[in-house]
Amino acid sequence: MMAVPPNQRQTPCQLWSGQRDYLPGHLCNPVSSFQHHSLGSPSVMTPSDCNLTTLSSSRSHDGVLCANNANQNLQKTSPDNTVSATFAAASQGGNLNPCRLPPHIPYQAATQPLQHSYTPRCLLNGPQPSNQNHVPVSPPLSGHHLNQRPQSSSQPVFDGANVGSSAGYTHSHHHISPVQQQQPWPFATQSGGAINTFVPNAAAQDGNITPQSPTSESRYGLDPELLPSSVKVMMEDRAEWEDQVFVSEPLSSLPPLATTSCIVEDRGNASPMAIRSTSYCVPCECQTALLSRLPLGALVTPLVEQHAGRKPLPQCLEMDCILACGWCGASMCPAMGWQDCGQRFYCPFCGKLTEVPWQHYQPTKGVEGVRVDKDRRPELSMGSYEILHAQKGEPAVLLLAIDVSASALRGGHLEFVIQQIHTLLSALNREDGDSLSDIRVGLMTYDNRIHLYDLSPNLSRPHMLVITETEDLQLPVREGLLVSLKDCMSSIDSVLQLIPQFSSECVDSTGIPLELPVRAGLTLLEGLSCPGKLLIFHTASLIETALTNSPSGFFGSNKPKSLFQPSEVVVSVAKECVGQGCGVHLFLLSHQDVGGAWPGHIPYLTGGALHTYSHLQGELDRERFCSDLRKVVKMKTAYKAELRIFVSKDLRVSGCYGLFVPGPSPGHVTMATADRHTTLAVELAHSRALDETRGVAVQVVLSYSTQSGDRRSRVHTLTLRCSRHLQETFRHYQAQTLLAFYCKKMYCAVLERPLQELREELQTEITEALASYRKHCCSASVSAGQLVLPQYLRALPVYINSLRKSEVLLPGLRSSVPQRLQQRCQVLSMDVCSTTTHFYPLLQPLPLSADISNPPDLEEVLRCSASSLEPRGLYVARTPLTLLMWVGTLVPASTLVQLFNTSCFSSLPSGETKLPVLENPLSIRIRSLIDTLNSETTFTRKLLVVKQGDTCEETLQRHLVEDKSPNGGASYADFLYHLHVNSVRLLQ
């Protein structure tokens, strides 16, 4: 394998606080004190007399927090590669009391809904008394930046299991009803290895109790400003790599973060945008990998697009490429080793030799045995390339299915939908040279019957075929049902004009199963042997046939079921769509989260999506519909995709997680359609010990058909180094990649496992990882009161806590089942960057004026906490699913006039809205920013305006992930505190 390239970013050597001659002073052990108190009792909630202050040090340190209850001051230091935090602990035999924040003069605001009082004597779970004294949140210190203000968090809720044995620990999984009241759980009095686990706040989930807004104070008096910040991590990485060139060579070091935009130069290793490993240094031994407690795997986005202005992906004809391995089928890549002067090559994926045909033979040169034609062949010199196969299949089609039931006509939006379909098809027909200009189009309407239309240009007018027998669906196979858009545009015009008149004669039905239009479209595609997109525009109420017709439905089996599980009929239909390459996109034109079956399983399992609109009457819904329809049709799509994963012979693929129908092998995934956002998580495991000199190779090959029917294979190969040292493995993990991996794994596991068990597993794995890092990689001089984190895992606790308290794993009071189902599927299809911004939204301050002399920094990002919001400020919180604009009560009237055309705060629109088109620099800048943000997603996001003190402010509170969530999720500071305490207890 190639040597480590000299131009890569090297991980600095690990230095600890004790190794830098830094003496934090006497630190009491927090573990021993926990053996005598209950954190749930009111007596321990009395604030102590110690103050948290920041002292300057003669040495340069960053990230060590040291405090105790003996009036010790908190010191801030920074070892190079370690972030350590020492939390306040009680003296031996005394009570554990949280430190009190230093007093500051609070700012005056009209209302402070996001900054509630700190109630130290209340219980962890119980509702807060109304007669408590309110302690206002202090403003930032003089000279502090807005995103560097002291922050605090709310009170967590705990549950746990204790083990008296010193040999290990176990868990007692208590399955708790979402509406069952829970009492606060005290810490254990034993010294054995017990792990305390967060559980959801049942009081917040009770329908009779109003959920509380996130507080701005930590239960233990911790200052979140001194805790590791994910914003700081992203900004540091962006400052280092923004617009810089990252050379991706074999055995290269850590790449830039997924949230950093940089230039990637492929020199034999796939771009991290295509394959991103959880760790870029794989442990050689299986036992070493188990000691890390962190997963070994990769995030794969095979169809990722190159940025504008970058070199396109190199392509080569199949007949010109060197053949793949004759034993395992792995494609040619730079990881192959050449022997016998180029007559054979060694495959690292199966460990066998393959003869090279004489047509492709070239001699080798040098000691390393490099072929002389390496630079002329992308399969020998590039980590990513594409093979163009000679075979050609049927071009993909666009099939439109429109609901024409009586309820669709009564809704009043059928004519609007038809008009938008006509506008889109007319625009495609006028785009000469575009791949969609000659696409074959089919048209179908349905109620409780199926209506097909023969659009053949040889006919004087279109013919309609009515299928009344829908139980055993048999459709005629006629070429006129799918016709080129250029030849049938006039026929489509006449049919679309007649659809509203024809629909008035249809008989209304009590409900239509989603499988009816899907099976009809699938049967049509199968008859003509072509893949395609099936767009369904549905209005009538939906019924689920699986629960009534299937003998093995939800209650027909002893196997544990979940509300996230699709029915067997749905899975069967999805498998048929996958085999045919049919991607389903469902547009629900009148959607209500009340009753009925959730119709999103089939669309998401086939690579499509579910688009919901309340009534499609308002201007906002109609604009979103037009934008979504245009994006779905014009999205570059791969059909009949087959993903094969090859790993080094001493590794194996133990799991694959994402949105697809699972097959018999995790290393071979079939998908109906895929696009540039499709991302899968691959989990790896050791079969035997790895050879440190050879490294590890991971190859992903995606074979697919294009819109025109051409068959292609996209190859991505990543080579990683190996090490026998656990410390090297920890150094090469990245928090964002681990977040995306855990997200996909846990969101797939909700199909069969209880949510509380998954939340406990997340906390346990991170706790064990911290304990393992402290035990095997940390200096003995580090105090038991210090939390030690690897350099590139500083943001992992806040990410994992946000995942644990997400709506999917921890439902809140106002979380409906359809919303959670759709959010799960949307997040499962995201790449690493989108997943990161979903679980840690980007909170950005917006300019209050268009001052050219002092332009605002639109790249500035604040910590996701209530204390980051100023009443005089205007902020936007953006995630891949939502756009929230928070308006403070003290925003200048001139800003309100320029943005909203009103000077009165009380008259501002609240909820989903659209900024008025005003001809002033500030309005143009903000609207341009929102349009740019919407262009980055596959669907158009709603813009929600949230006023300070308004009832809809809870929508924003769910995105302030560093605070306590309205659904009872713990704050970042408290979660980090208990991660540290539990990790130290495991080592006792």
Side-chain angles (χ1 to χ4, degrees):
M1 305 297 291
M2 299 182 65
V4 181
N7 61 340
Q8 298 298 316
R9 175 177 65 180
Q10 299 296 331
T11 306
C13 59
Q14 192 81 5
L15 293 177
W16 306 98
S17 57
Q19 295 169 333
R20 295 285 301 269
D21 295 329
Y22 168 69
L23 299 177
H26 174 71
L27 298 174
C28 58
N29 189 344
V31 178
S32 58
S33 62
F34 283 126
Q35 301 171 9
H36 305 281
H37 333 293
S38 165
L39 292 181
S41 61
S43 61
V44 302
M45 301 298 295
T46 305
S48 65
D49 295 331
C50 66
N51 294 328
L52 275 73
T53 58
T54 304
L55 302 179
S56 60
S57 174
S58 59
R59 295 182 179 269
S60 174
H61 298 287
D62 182 1
V64 180
L65 305 181
C66 307
N68 57 28
N69 71 330
N71 294 326
Q72 300 255 353
N73 289 328
L74 186 145
Q75 303 177 3
K76 184 176 181 181
T77 60
S78 66
D80 288 341
N81 256 5
T82 310
V83 177
S84 306
T86 304
F87 297 100
S91 59
Q92 298 290 339
N95 289 336
L96 179 67
N97 299 325
C99 298
R100 183 172 60 239
L101 293 175
H104 298 295
I105 301 175
Y107 59 80
Q108 299 297 327
T111 57
Q112 300 180 12
L114 291 181
Q115 298 169 350
H116 283 240
S117 61
Y118 178 45
T119 55
R121 298 190 64 84
C122 64
L123 295 178
L124 291 175
N125 284 355
Q128 309 298 329
S130 59
N131 57 353
Q132 300 260 346
N133 294 328
H134 286 237
V135 181
V137 178
S138 58
L141 297 176
S142 175
H144 280 207
H145 196 270
L146 187 59
N147 64 343
Q148 296 176 345
R149 59 172 49 226
Q151 304 175 42
S152 306
S153 303
S154 59
Q155 305 172 10
V157 185
F158 313 104
D159 190 11
N162 304 322
V163 173
S165 172
S166 60
Y169 58 91
T170 58
H171 295 283
S172 297
H173 302 303
H174 304 289
H175 305 296
I176 301 174
S177 172
V179 296
Q180 178 184 354
Q181 294 290 340
Q182 302 175 12
Q183 296 300 325
W185 183 84
F187 269 94
T189 57
Q190 295 93 340
S191 59
I195 292 187
N196 306 315
T197 312
F198 292 103
V199 298
N201 190 341
Q205 299 176 8
D206 196 333
N208 300 323
I209 299 178
T210 304
Q212 301 176 13
S213 300
T215 63
S216 295
E217 300 234 358
S218 168
R219 183 185 188 277
Y220 308 107
L222 302 177
D223 185 359
E225 178 61 28
L226 301 179
L227 300 181
S229 169
S230 62
V231 170
K232 183 178 179 181
V233 172
M234 287 189 290
M235 292 300 101
E236 289 176 350
D237 192 79
R238 184 175 299 175
E240 180 181 358
W241 288 105
E242 189 80 44
D243 298 328
Q244 300 297 316
V245 178
F246 172 74
V247 179
S248 183
E249 293 181 326
L251 307 180
S252 58
S253 60
L254 272 175
L257 296 179
T259 52
T260 301
S261 177
C262 69
I263 302 173
V264 179
E265 184 177 345
D266 186 348
R267 291 188 183 176
N269 231 21
S271 167
M273 296 184 295
I275 304 181
R276 188 176 288 268
S277 177
T278 55
S279 176
Y280 279 75
C281 184
V282 181
C284 292
E285 302 288 340
C286 176
Q287 186 64 27
T288 307
L290 294 177
L291 283 177
S292 71
R293 306 303 187 194
L294 293 177
L296 179 62
L299 277 299
V300 178
T301 311
L303 290 177
V304 61
E305 284 189 350
Q306 299 289 332
H307 293 291
R310 312 286 171 81
K311 293 181 180 180
L313 196 69
Q315 297 178 340
C316 58
L317 297 177
E318 182 182 15
M319 62 181 67
D320 297 334
C321 286
I322 302 177
L323 296 180
C325 175
W327 300 92
C328 64
S331 299
M332 178 57 59
C333 63
M336 302 289 188
W338 296 94
Q339 298 183 6
D340 299 336
C341 297
Q343 299 183 34
R344 301 175 185 84
F345 65 85
Y346 171 81
C347 177
F349 306 107
C350 62
K352 297 181 179 181
L353 296 176
T354 300
E355 295 283 345
V356 179
W358 66 268
Q359 299 92 337
H360 298 145
Y361 168 77
Q362 287 290 335
T364 58
K365 63 179 180 179
V367 180
E368 296 181 356
V370 180
R371 281 182 46 136
V372 295
D373 61 344
K374 173 183 176 181
D375 296 334
R376 301 193 303 269
R377 287 184 173 273
E379 67 268 29
L380 299 179
S381 59
M382 306 292 289
S384 299
Y385 67 97
E386 197 165 51
I387 303 175
L388 305 181
H389 297 279
Q391 65 186 56
K392 185 177 178 66
E394 289 290 331
V397 303
L398 178 63
L399 185 57
L400 308 174
I402 305 174
D403 180 7
V404 293
S405 61
S407 57
L409 181 63
R410 288 195 304 265
H413 47 252
L414 185 58
E415 293 184 0
F416 172 75
V417 172
I418 292 175
Q419 178 185 357
Q420 296 306 315
I421 293 176
H422 180 270
T423 301
L424 178 63
L425 295 180
S426 300
L428 293 178
N429 189 35
R430 291 192 297 266
E431 296 178 358
D432 295 333
D434 188 86
S435 59
L436 297 176
S437 60
D438 58 347
I439 185 175
R440 290 194 296 172
V441 179
L443 196 59
M444 176 178 65
T445 57
Y446 66 94
D447 48 5
N448 53 357
R449 302 167 295 180
I450 300 296
H451 319 108
L452 301 177
Y453 299 91
D454 190 339
L455 305 174
S456 177
N458 299 326
L459 301 175
S460 59
R461 60 179 182 179
H463 291 179
M464 183 178 68
L465 309 175
V466 181
I467 311 298
T468 58
E469 183 61 39
T470 59
E471 292 295 332
D472 185 13
L473 200 59
Q474 298 291 334
L475 300 183
V477 179
R478 301 175 62 172
E479 290 294 335
L481 298 179
L482 294 173
V483 185
S484 175
L485 180 60
K486 295 183 295 184
D487 300 330
C488 68
M489 194 61 209
S490 59
S491 300
I492 291 178
D493 289 342
S494 58
V495 172
L496 293 179
Q497 292 176 4
L498 294 176
I499 283 180
Q501 303 175 13
F502 168 76
S503 62
S504 60
E505 302 175 3
C506 293
V507 179
D508 194 11
S509 58
T510 57
I512 298 177
L514 178 63
E515 294 82 3
L516 177 61
V518 174
R519 286 190 182 278
L522 183 59
T523 304
L524 185 59
L525 296 180
E526 289 176 347
L528 298 175
S529 301
C530 57
K533 293 179 183 177
L534 174 59
L535 275 58
I536 302 176
F537 305 91
H538 193 84
T539 304
S541 58
L542 290 166
I543 60 175
E544 186 174 4
T545 58
L547 297 183
T548 57
N549 299 338
S550 177
S552 57
F554 192 90
F555 299 103
S557 173
N558 294 328
K559 185 179 180 180
K561 298 291 182 179
S562 165
L563 60 88
F564 296 97
Q565 277 186 337
S567 63
E568 294 183 5
V569 171
V570 167
V571 175
S572 175
V573 174
K575 287 182 178 180
E576 295 180 25
C577 292
V578 170
Q580 188 57 36
C582 174
V584 180
H585 295 262
L586 178 59
F587 295 82
L588 283 187
L589 307 179
S590 182
H591 177 63
Q592 296 181 355
D593 289 342
V594 180
W598 187 67
H601 291 298
I602 293 179
Y604 284 111
L605 287 176
T606 59
L610 172 65
H611 305 270
T612 59
Y613 311 92
S614 56
H615 296 288
L616 209 62
Q617 295 293 338
E619 179 184 359
L620 297 177
D621 266 356
R622 294 196 170 196
E623 288 186 0
R624 281 199 305 115
F625 172 79
C626 297
S627 178
D628 292 342
L629 178 61
R630 184 169 56 255
K631 288 184 177 181
V632 167
V633 173
K634 293 191 174 183
M635 172 68 70
K636 291 184 178 180
T637 306
Y639 302 91
K640 292 187 176 181
E642 294 184 11
L643 184 72
R644 292 173 297 161
I645 306 168
F646 302 92
V647 294
S648 295
K649 63 184 182 66
D650 297 327
L651 292 176
R652 60 183 176 86
V653 179
S654 59
C656 189
Y657 312 106
L659 275 180
F660 57 89
V661 179
S665 172
H668 189 189
V669 177
T670 57
M671 296 173 285
T673 60
D675 55 43
R676 60 187 177 92
H677 300 283
T678 303
T679 303
L680 305 178
V682 181
E683 189 170 15
L684 307 178
H686 285 75
S687 298
R688 60 181 66 87
L690 298 173
D691 187 351
E692 190 173 3
T693 60
R694 289 186 177 272
V696 168
V698 179
Q699 185 179 92
V700 174
V701 181
L702 180 72
S703 300
Y704 67 98
S705 297
T706 63
Q707 177 68 45
S708 58
D710 298 328
R711 195 68 184 173
R712 299 182 179 182
S713 292
R714 185 166 294 192
V715 182
H716 301 287
T717 306
L718 178 68
T719 55
L720 306 170
R721 69 181 71 185
C722 295
S723 176
R724 300 186 181 277
H725 303 288
L726 180 61
Q727 188 174 6
E728 287 296 317
T729 301
F730 272 110
R731 285 181 181 179
H732 289 82
Y733 274 103
Q734 285 184 329
Q736 292 183 358
T737 312
L738 285 175
L739 169 65
F741 182 90
Y742 276 124
C743 170
K744 294 185 184 299
K745 183 176 181 179
M746 293 299 160
Y747 276 20
C748 288
V750 299
L751 297 176
E752 297 181 352
R753 298 176 58 188
L755 300 183
Q756 181 178 344
E757 180 181 325
L758 297 178
R759 294 194 301 269
E760 292 174 354
E761 179 179 322
L762 271 175
Q763 182 179 342
T764 301
E765 287 194 18
I766 303 303
T767 302
E768 292 175 347
L770 296 183
S772 176
Y773 187 71
R774 172 183 290 271
K775 178 178 180 180
H776 301 285
C777 308
C778 185
S779 167
S781 61
V782 176
S783 167
Q786 289 180 318
L787 170 67
V788 186
L789 293 171
Q791 170 71 10
Y792 300 110
L793 296 183
R794 288 176 291 171
L796 185 60
V798 67
Y799 288 154
I800 295 301
N801 187 41
S802 180
L803 173 60
R804 288 181 67 257
K805 61 183 183 180
S806 62
E807 293 292 326
V808 176
L809 298 182
L810 185 60
L813 178 66
R814 293 176 174 83
S815 302
S816 66
V817 172
Q819 289 174 348
R820 296 173 60 205
L821 290 169
Q822 184 162 3
Q823 185 180 117
R824 170 188 173 269
C825 293
Q826 288 173 326
V827 176
L828 269 177
S829 60
M830 292 179 182
D831 56 13
V832 179
C833 179
S834 299
T835 304
T836 302
T837 54
H838 173 76
F839 288 103
Y840 197 94
L842 300 180
L843 182 63
Q844 296 178 278
L846 296 178
L848 301 179
S849 63
D851 187 3
I852 303 179
S853 61
N854 187 20
D857 183 11
L858 296 181
E859 298 296 328
E860 180 184 5
V861 180
L862 309 180
R863 300 184 73 157
C864 287
S865 174
S867 57
S868 296
L869 303 176
E870 287 279 4
R872 295 181 178 274
L874 191 67
Y875 305 86
V876 60
R878 56 187 178 99
T879 72
L881 304 181
T882 56
L883 279 177
L884 300 172
M885 181 181 291
W886 188 82
V887 184
T889 55
L890 302 182
V891 172
S894 59
T895 302
L896 299 180
V897 172
Q898 294 181 65
L899 280 183
F900 304 100
N901 201 23
T902 179
S903 60
C904 182
F905 178 81
S906 59
S907 62
L908 282 180
S910 183
E912 184 181 1
T913 186
K914 177 185 177 182
L915 294 180
V917 180
L918 303 175
E919 295 301 327
N920 62 76
L922 181 61
S923 177
I924 294 175
R925 178 180 298 180
I926 300 301
R927 285 186 287 110
S928 176
L929 173 63
I930 293 175
D931 292 341
T932 302
L933 296 179
N934 271 330
S935 65
E936 300 172 353
T937 57
T938 56
F939 61 95
T940 304
R941 295 174 287 189
K942 298 180 181 179
L943 174 63
L944 302 179
V945 174
V946 179
K947 298 192 298 183
Q948 184 179 4
D950 195 77
T951 54
C952 66
E953 201 172 28
E954 183 183 336
T955 306
L956 177 64
Q957 294 166 8
R958 291 198 295 265
H959 293 81
L960 301 179
V961 296
E962 291 200 13
D963 296 332
K964 182 178 179 180
S965 301
N967 60 357
S971 67
Y972 166 43
D974 295 338
F975 178 72
L976 183 61
Y977 177 86
H978 280 269
L979 280 184
H980 164 68
V981 170
N982 291 333
S983 63
V984 173
R985 300 181 99 182
L986 290 178
L987 303 179
Q988 300 303 314

